[in-house]
Amino acid sequence: MHFSIPETEVRSDENGSIYVAYNIHVNGVLHCRVRYSQLLGLHEQIKKEYGNNVVPAFPPKKIFTLTPAEVDQRREQLEKYMQAVRQDPILGSSEMFNSFLRKAQQETQQIATEEVQLEIYLSNGQKVKVNILTSDQTEDVLEAVASKLDLPDELVGYFSLFLVQERGDGGCTYVRKLQEFELPYVSITSLHSPEYRIVLRKSYWDTAYDSDVMDDRVGLNLLYAQTVSDIERGWILVNKEQHRQLKSLQEKGSKKEFIRLAQTLKYYGYIKFDPCITDFPETGCHVIVGAGNNELNFHVKLPSDQMKEGSFKVTRMRCWRVTSSQVPVVNGTANPSSSSKCDVKLELAFEYLMSKDRLQWVTITSPQAIMMSICLQSMVDELMVKKSGGSIKKMQKKRLNGSFQRSDSQQAVKSPPLLDSPDPSREQVVKLSTKLSSVSLRGLSSSNSASDISGNDFHGNYAFEGIGDDDL
């Protein structure tokens, strides 16, 4: 997740005392507003619990009132501190750090602790209403949903809660997976918009885990509903004959067979992102990115209007980073000379092993860059867990989503070295319910020559690999 402190505010407390508040943003959205003394208190707790050798440097106290320049300097130092803590695999996942952020989020939004009803959506649009406390964290809400659906405890770790934005065209944008340091009720309420909703979706990539889920009646219904939804929105490609077979299985009520057939289809299990911009294979190309099957899939429209498709395997990515920068906006138009409101520009860049001795950086400019990074990290986590023989339940509970650093005037996140290294001397990573209503296929469109561009894939010098149904 992307932590930043892009701004400060001068505020007054209940006693009328003036103080500087530091606004902590996550993924470019305000998460909480804290004072220096609160962060200092957190630092002292971390230091006491984990020792001086573990905690990053913290900006020192000042005797005199800070000048505006000193306030901005402290803001940058605190931002680096928060990013360093989050980056640390122990500190960033500690209950001490996460509970601090949850409490600060609730205090900032001024939402008292009380019992409320929260609506959680399933992939088919059905709502599940759960009674929770406003102070319940993500895991508590997920378990409440599972209990309401009668989903067995051993399958809870196979699913996650996602913040989704519904679009006017009937589509949806996956904003992020809800994290352990946030309160779902507070997060959704603070957006003040009915177009946002929390959706339950499977959170693993390897289709082999589908068998575990399908062995349970509720798990089967959830996976079936998600598969139908992905087909309807065009995330899974279906031709006319496949469409006929799926309809036949649906009419028979053969949900397992329906899912097994869907598993053979192109892009089963992928998450698709909104159209964005990439510099590969040429600068300024429009692209639709999909994440799944341990890869990022590109559908690229070149400046010549030619369409190409290709995939980048995570095992050939040496590292990646997410950077953010402020883009001034005036009357809806970017204007670098203006000091008015700014938008956040997010970019995901990864270094890819194009051929045996050639690495190349590929950049994607997208508001969903951090969500893409989270998908990459979770794919790597899953590969590592599978290789070490670990369980998916433990992986889902302990997963860390990337690591963040600051570089110059931008914030950057860089992953650890991954499975395949371009340097042969580098050590490779080796540890790697019936309560659901029935779902129907509505408006399934068959793929045609205009949308099925697999015959015009990237090739040659682009050194793309893994294209086609045989990899699914």
Side-chain angles (χ1 to χ4, degrees):
M1 303 299 288
H2 185 204
F3 280 72
S4 64
I5 306 179
E7 60 196 7
T8 61
E9 292 183 31
V10 177
R11 303 178 69 86
S12 60
D13 58 24
E14 60 274 8
N15 298 320
S17 300
I18 303 299
Y19 67 92
V20 175
Y22 296 86
N23 293 344
I24 298 178
H25 287 229
V26 178
N27 290 13
V29 177
L30 177 66
H31 177 79
C32 60
R33 188 180 295 112
V34 297
R35 302 173 67 159
Y36 170 83
S37 59
Q38 290 176 285
L39 290 175
L40 176 60
L42 171 66
H43 173 70
E44 293 296 335
Q45 284 184 305
I46 291 176
K47 189 167 60 172
K48 182 179 180 180
E49 178 71 21
Y50 297 99
N52 290 326
N53 296 331
V54 176
V55 297
F58 192 84
K61 291 182 178 180
K62 300 285 185 180
I63 298 177
F64 303 104
T65 303
L66 273 62
T67 65
E70 289 174 327
V71 169
D72 193 59
Q73 181 184 44
R74 175 175 281 181
R75 176 193 62 78
E76 291 186 356
Q77 291 171 338
L78 290 174
E79 182 178 78
K80 290 179 180 179
Y81 176 82
M82 292 296 292
Q83 292 170 349
V85 171
R86 178 60 180 174
Q87 177 183 352
D88 187 280
I90 297 176
L91 302 182
S93 61
S94 68
E95 179 57 23
M96 185 180 297
F97 181 64
N98 291 324
S99 63
F100 172 85
L101 289 172
R102 291 194 294 266
K103 182 179 179 181
Q105 181 190 25
Q106 186 176 12
E107 291 178 348
T108 298
Q109 300 300 333
Q110 298 181 330
I111 296 178
T113 298
E114 60 182 346
E115 188 170 321
V116 293
Q117 193 173 74
L118 181 63
E119 292 181 343
I120 305 298
Y121 286 79
L122 307 182
S123 297
N124 61 348
Q126 183 180 354
K127 290 185 292 187
V128 177
K129 296 181 180 181
V130 292
N131 294 319
I132 63 166
L133 294 176
T134 54
S135 57
D136 279 347
Q137 57 188 292
T138 301
E139 184 176 340
D140 296 330
V141 176
L142 177 60
E143 290 177 352
V145 175
S147 177
K148 190 70 176 287
L149 294 172
D150 290 334
L151 183 69
D153 291 343
E154 60 269 21
L155 292 182
V156 176
Y158 290 71
F159 295 86
S160 291
L161 300 176
F162 293 83
L163 179 64
V164 174
Q165 182 180 18
E166 298 295 319
R167 301 196 304 265
D169 59 2
C172 66
T173 299
Y174 274 73
V175 180
R176 70 175 186 272
K177 187 174 80 171
L178 296 185
Q179 301 296 304
E180 67 274 16
F181 57 76
E182 64 182 312
L183 311 176
Y185 178 84
V186 177
S187 294
I188 195 74
T189 303
S190 63
L191 291 170
H192 304 292
S193 175
E195 66 186 21
Y196 290 95
R197 58 176 58 176
I198 298 176
V199 174
L200 180 71
R201 182 180 174 89
K202 75 174 187 179
S203 57
Y204 59 87
W205 302 98
D206 191 338
T207 57
Y209 291 124
D210 284 348
S211 297
D212 298 341
V213 176
M214 288 192 294
D215 283 342
D216 175 74
R217 173 176 50 84
V218 178
L220 172 62
N221 285 337
L222 287 170
L223 186 57
Y224 175 70
Q226 179 179 314
T227 304
V228 172
S229 175
D230 288 354
I231 292 174
E232 289 178 348
R233 62 165 56 106
W235 285 13
I236 300 174
L237 291 188
V238 182
N239 61 31
K240 290 182 178 179
E241 175 57 25
Q242 293 162 346
H243 174 264
R244 185 193 64 77
Q245 294 176 15
L246 289 169
K247 289 290 290 184
S248 176
L249 290 172
Q250 188 174 45
E251 290 169 358
K252 295 177 182 177
S254 304
K255 295 179 181 179
K256 285 188 178 181
E257 289 74 13
F258 183 98
I259 294 171
R260 291 192 179 106
L261 175 57
Q263 288 174 334
T264 68
L265 304 181
K266 199 167 186 179
Y267 309 132
Y268 172 82
Y270 281 61
I271 288 180
K272 291 293 182 71
F273 300 97
D274 295 344
C276 52
I277 303 295
T278 182
D279 63 355
F280 188 91
E282 300 177 37
T283 301
C285 290
H286 293 266
V287 62
I288 295 178
V289 180
N293 192 35
N294 296 324
E295 68 181 21
L296 288 183
N297 177 269
F298 274 30
H299 278 249
V300 175
K301 183 178 182 180
L302 303 179
S304 63
D305 288 340
Q306 184 181 10
M307 298 296 296
K308 287 185 176 291
E309 178 188 1
S311 294
F312 295 94
K313 291 290 186 181
V314 297
T315 50
R316 294 175 67 87
M317 294 180 188
R318 192 178 73 86
C319 62
W320 70 84
R321 62 171 180 255
V322 174
T323 58
S324 71
S325 56
Q326 300 289 328
V327 180
V329 175
V330 178
N331 296 327
T333 305
N335 184 351
S337 65
S338 170
S339 59
S340 58
K341 183 179 179 181
C342 292
D343 279 346
V344 177
K345 177 184 178 182
L346 291 173
E347 291 183 336
L348 169 69
F350 55 87
E351 193 175 23
Y352 196 74
L353 186 63
M354 294 291 182
S355 57
K356 183 178 180 180
D357 300 312
R358 187 168 72 91
L359 283 163
Q360 180 176 336
W361 282 96
V362 178
T363 301
I364 305 167
T365 303
S366 167
Q368 295 175 284
I370 296 169
M371 180 66 184
M372 294 179 190
S373 175
I374 290 173
C375 290
L376 289 176
Q377 187 65 56
S378 61
M379 289 178 192
V380 173
D381 289 345
E382 195 168 290
L383 286 171
M384 294 171 66
V385 167
K386 188 173 183 179
K387 191 160 189 175
S388 64
S391 70
I392 187 173
K393 185 175 181 180
K394 291 181 179 179
M395 178 194 72
Q396 296 293 350
K397 288 185 178 295
K398 296 182 178 180
R399 173 177 294 161
L400 297 178
N401 297 316
S403 55
F404 293 82
Q405 300 174 341
R406 182 179 172 88
S407 175
D408 299 325
S409 61
Q410 295 181 325
Q411 294 79 41
V413 55
K414 189 172 183 179
S415 72
L418 303 187
L419 304 181
D420 287 350
S421 170
D423 183 357
S425 65
R426 185 189 300 271
E427 181 181 358
Q428 294 188 359
V429 177
V430 294
K431 294 184 177 178
L432 293 178
S433 133
T434 56
K435 291 185 178 181
L436 294 172
S437 61
S438 60
V439 185
S440 61
L441 285 171
R442 303 181 302 274
L444 276 178
S445 58
S446 304
S447 62
N448 51 47
S449 58
S451 60
D452 185 359
I453 55 176
S454 59
N456 196 18
D457 297 338
F458 291 120
H459 61 280
N461 293 333
Y462 300 136
F464 270 28
E465 65 172 11
I467 306 297
D469 294 320
D470 55 333
D471 278 334
L472 300 175

